Amino acid sequence: MADKGKRKRRRADADSDEETRLPFKNKLKPDSAILEILKDLTAATAAASSSSTKTLTLADIDLDAKCREVTELNLLSVQSEIESQILKIARSILAGNGFGFDVPSRSATNQLYVPELDRIVLKDKTTLRPYANISTVRKTTITTRIIQLVHQLCAKNIHVTKRDLFYTDVKLFQDQSQSDTVLDDVSCILGCTRSSLNVIAAEKGVVVGRLIFSDNGDMIDCTKMGMGGKAIPPNIDRVGDMQSDALFILLVEKDAAYMRLAEDRFYNRFPCIIITAKGQPDVATRLFLRKMKMELKLPVLALVDSDPYGLKILSVYGCGSKNMSYDSSNLTTPDIKWLGVRPSDLDKYKIPEQCRLPMTEQDIKTGKDLLEEDFVKKNPGWVEELSLMVKTKQKAEIQALSTFGFQYLSEVYLPLKLQQQDWL
């Protein structure tokens, strides 16, 4: 009897030790129960996608005359638009009105959040960029050069990176940020998506997990790409034939968290596709995420840092960026759910004080500015979490969970979040 009593105490002590090391692990249900919850979520997402037969456009809500959006154009159409612009400029010069471009303004005052579409769009204001003006002559020259280079790319049907484009005329462009900015202006002028210009960014995002797709005719199985995953192709038009048995898409802000989940084969325990842009989202990753969501009809759950910039990154995927609001219809992924790490999680999961960071004055200002954004106000849960963050003046990275063990993220935190359906 004494031995039995000792064994019970040892088991109780062991359970207590494990709870101290891995908080809340004892609350986890069997994986089979969590999988049933995920199947219900997937079914609900697919049903919602099927019931909404048509995606709302600006024309459907009578905003097409007040706002502008670009469309995907083929190479011949892009060439035709460029030639039309050049003819327009030639007529202006011959008429004695000089040489300039009417450029859609991408300033903050020309942006509009449309709740019905749940994304940011560009309004119809334009600014004249004349050559015969000392303040705009250089930018007009850069615009002309970029248009010339894009016309060459379309004629030859080849792709180049933004870096290649910059190096065609380094003395004129001086800095790549200048050629990149004008490239977006050219998209607006021609009324086409940036990918239609055959200029792509270098590979940045990666994907791993339960996804098979074709990349320029080659079939890619993302379960066989190792822990590094498959680099997201910059030419989204060459991606097709997406197949998956995943129950959801896990969008991860940072490379470190992505590597942890990939190495732990989290996608085998809970069938999913894991994707990251390693920080600020690039165009290729945003296009790829949207394509997966629309074709596979899977829910998207986001894992970002508990700071204002994590929420900003999440909003770029969901509502679009102000810098590229002209192409928000192609770049945004609807109905992304905020899984974590949320400000309320810091106390809920007992994150130690030494793993939390004090917010800087700039962090607090960014948080307060976000609270004024319409896309945040639309979601009461976001407002509550962001208000808590600003009030406590504390932030934390996803890696703060490593204080309980390097695999706590994949073994306890995410499974418990999924089990409790704890997303916004």
Side-chain angles (χ1 to χ4, degrees):
M1 289 294 289
D3 288 343
K4 282 185 180 179
K6 286 179 181 178
R7 281 199 296 270
K8 283 182 180 178
R9 280 197 297 274
R10 278 199 294 270
R11 277 199 300 270
D13 290 342
D15 290 344
S16 177
D17 288 345
E18 186 174 44
E19 175 60 18
T20 303
R21 285 186 293 104
L22 299 173
F24 307 105
K25 186 175 182 181
N26 60 358
K27 292 189 176 182
L28 279 175
K29 294 180 181 178
D31 286 357
S32 56
I34 302 174
L35 288 172
E36 288 304 314
I37 292 169
L38 290 172
K39 286 175 185 176
D40 290 342
L41 174 65
T42 307
T45 303
S49 300
S50 302
S51 62
S52 54
T53 52
K54 183 177 179 291
T55 304
L56 275 180
T57 64
L58 288 173
D60 295 328
I61 52 177
D62 298 323
L63 280 178
D64 52 325
K66 298 177 183 176
C67 302
R68 66 173 73 235
E69 280 186 327
V70 298
T71 55
E72 191 79 31
L73 296 181
N74 59 41
L75 295 183
L76 287 175
S77 298
V78 174
Q79 282 181 279
S80 178
E81 284 292 335
I82 290 174
E83 288 156 11
S84 296
Q85 284 290 327
I86 300 306
L87 285 172
K88 180 182 171 185
I89 288 168
R91 292 192 192 102
S92 176
I93 293 170
L94 292 172
N97 297 323
F99 162 33
F101 293 99
D102 282 318
V103 183
S105 171
R106 294 190 289 123
S107 65
T109 55
N110 201 41
Q111 315 275 347
L112 176 69
Y113 172 73
V114 183
E116 295 89 341
L117 305 178
D118 192 23
R119 54 185 169 85
I120 301 167
V121 299
L122 193 66
K123 293 193 279 189
D124 62 350
K125 180 184 174 185
T126 60
T127 56
L128 181 63
R129 188 175 289 172
Y131 184 77
N133 186 306
I134 195 168
S135 64
T136 56
V137 60
R138 189 167 166 279
K139 206 160 191 179
T140 307
T141 307
I142 293 174
T143 306
T144 309
R145 181 71 168 127
I146 294 285
I147 287 176
Q148 178 202 8
L149 292 168
V150 168
H151 192 270
Q152 288 179 15
L153 293 175
C154 293
K156 294 178 180 179
N157 190 16
I158 57 173
H159 291 79
V160 298
T161 65
K162 292 193 293 183
R163 193 69 176 166
D164 288 329
L165 198 73
F166 165 66
Y167 272 107
T168 59
D169 209 329
V170 175
K171 286 188 177 179
L172 173 62
F173 299 145
Q174 294 183 0
D175 186 86
Q176 189 181 330
S177 62
Q178 297 193 37
S179 57
D180 287 355
T181 299
V182 172
L183 185 66
D184 286 329
D185 290 339
V186 169
S187 286
C188 291
I189 293 168
L190 301 178
C192 66
T193 62
R194 203 173 75 185
S195 56
S196 300
L197 304 178
N198 275 16
V199 181
I200 57 178
E203 292 178 347
K204 182 186 175 193
V206 285
V207 61
V208 74
R210 311 288 272 264
L211 175 69
I212 298 173
F213 67 93
S214 66
D215 180 3
N216 202 24
D218 298 324
M219 295 307 296
I220 308 295
D221 185 344
C222 294
T223 61
K224 299 176 181 177
M225 291 290 122
M227 61 182 286
K230 169 73 174 78
I232 292 172
N235 304 346
I236 198 69
D237 53 320
R238 296 182 181 179
V239 172
D241 301 322
M242 284 188 167
Q243 306 163 38
S244 177
D245 64 349
L247 297 176
F248 64 101
I249 299 166
L250 184 60
L251 172 62
V252 182
E253 176 189 349
K254 286 184 166 176
D255 191 32
Y258 167 88
M259 294 292 281
R260 176 76 274 130
L261 295 168
E263 186 176 28
D264 290 348
R265 297 288 197 270
F266 183 78
Y267 52 82
N268 285 336
R269 182 180 175 189
F270 301 105
C272 65
I273 303 164
I274 308 172
I275 182 172
T276 183
K278 303 178 184 178
Q280 193 64 32
D282 60 309
V283 170
T285 304
R286 291 165 67 185
L287 287 168
F288 194 85
L289 177 65
R290 177 179 172 82
K291 189 176 181 69
M292 284 197 298
K293 164 79 174 179
M294 304 310 280
E295 290 192 11
L296 302 175
K297 296 179 171 48
L298 293 174
V300 181
L301 305 177
L303 178 67
V304 298
D305 286 341
S306 177
D307 62 24
Y309 307 102
L311 191 55
K312 278 186 92 169
I313 285 171
L314 175 54
S315 70
V316 168
Y317 282 111
C319 307
S321 65
K322 291 184 177 179
N323 188 45
M324 295 192 70
S325 56
Y326 64 88
D327 196 13
S328 63
S329 61
N330 298 302
L331 292 173
T332 53
T333 301
D335 193 29
I336 298 178
K337 303 183 190 303
W338 186 10
L339 186 64
V341 173
R342 301 204 301 271
S344 58
D345 289 345
L346 303 190
D347 286 339
K348 180 180 177 181
Y349 286 87
K350 301 177 181 176
I351 304 295
E353 286 295 326
Q354 68 266 24
C355 297
R356 307 183 192 191
L357 299 169
M359 290 175 70
T360 64
E361 289 300 317
Q362 183 58 47
D363 292 337
I364 294 168
K365 182 182 181 303
T366 303
K368 289 178 177 177
D369 289 345
L370 274 172
L371 282 168
E372 298 302 314
E373 295 284 2
D374 290 333
F375 59 80
V376 172
K377 290 178 181 177
K378 185 186 176 186
N379 193 324
W382 284 29
V383 172
E384 186 179 338
E385 292 286 350
L386 197 50
S387 298
L388 176 64
M389 186 192 302
V390 172
K391 180 183 176 183
T392 60
K393 297 182 181 179
Q394 288 186 324
K395 61 182 181 179
E397 298 185 5
I398 301 168
Q399 282 67 47
L401 295 164
S402 297
T403 188
F404 304 122
F406 293 120
Q407 293 179 299
Y408 188 78
L409 174 68
S410 56
E411 290 186 353
V412 180
Y413 179 78
L414 285 179
L416 192 57
K417 279 273 187 178
L418 298 173
Q419 174 183 306
Q420 296 174 343
Q421 303 178 57
D422 185 17
W423 51 71
L424 296 176

